[in-house]
Amino acid sequence: MKFDVLTLFPEMFETLNQSILGKAQEKNLIDINLVNIRDFSKDKHKKVDDTPYGGGAGMVMRADIVYDAYKSVYKEGSKMIYLTPQGKTLNQKKVEELSKEKHLILLCGHYEGIDQRVIDKIVDEEISIGDYVLTGGEIPAMVLIDSVSRYIEGVIKNDSTEEESFSNGLLEYPQYTRPEIFEDQKVPEVLISGHHQKIKQWRKEQAIKNTLKKRPDLLEKYKFSKEEKQILENLKKQN
């Protein structure tokens, strides 16, 4: 998977060279290329923005400069994404969908935004990471790269993504490790029983319980099996 990131602040992406994403780059499983939009400014001061037509506060990034940065990395089949609060909210379904792409170009806005003409010309999809406004698109771009990269084959083990929150419509069950007793609290007995079928059943129950407690809205769309429906009914009675 190739990520080309169009940004005014490429230094912000240093964190992507660490941990799992750093190793994934070393193994050539993902390629993150940072493109400094300022490099395409013809102004001697590398200015990339100007005052908005019609007046108003702030500055707007120029269409011609952003377009030239885009053309420097575009190839046939590339998907261009603009990170903006006006976009559709990123979710697990979209993450998995994007992980099937070969080449993503991510445009990070800044200031008061980007000239609409270049957005209309080059952007395939607008994506937001939530209903709030940040100072720029760099952090949302990092969120998208991190979430999408986890679904690239070889980046992490497949079984690490199959049972995690949102992958199957439910939140994940609680996890435990050593020490067996911490602050007088013991690991649930079933997890040290060695009985795999009972452990599987416990985890299913806990996933439904966790979702009911924290994100009941997810249950409205979840397709329950007969067994899971019974688990949910029992949990509701306990509450």
Side-chain angles (χ1 to χ4, degrees), residues 124-140:
D124 296 310
E125 189 168 1
E126 297 186 8
I127 289 180
S128 166
I129 63 168
D131 294 337
Y132 46 86
V133 179
L134 299 173
T135 54
E138 284 74 18
I139 292 175

Side-chain angles (χ1 to χ4, degrees), residues 99-117:
S99 71
K100 296 177 174 60
E101 298 286 342
K102 298 293 185 182
H103 182 205
L104 295 179
I105 304 174
L106 308 181
L107 175 59
C108 304
H110 228 77
Y111 310 124
E112 285 301 306
I114 299 174
D115 189 305
Q116 186 63 42
R117 291 170 294 181

Side-chain angles (χ1 to χ4, degrees), residues 217-233:
D217 56 297
L218 296 176
L219 297 177
E220 296 175 7
K221 300 178 181 179
Y222 185 69
K223 295 181 179 180
F224 287 91
S225 66
K226 185 176 181 180
E227 178 189 9
E228 290 170 334
K229 284 182 180 179
Q230 188 59 55
I231 291 172
L232 179 62
E233 289 303 314

Side-chain angles (χ1 to χ4, degrees), residues 34 44 73 83 114 128 149 164 191 193 211:
L34 304 175
K44 66 178 181 179
V73 295
L83 285 309
I114 299 174
S128 166
S149 294
E164 64 187 5
L191 297 180
S193 67
T211 308

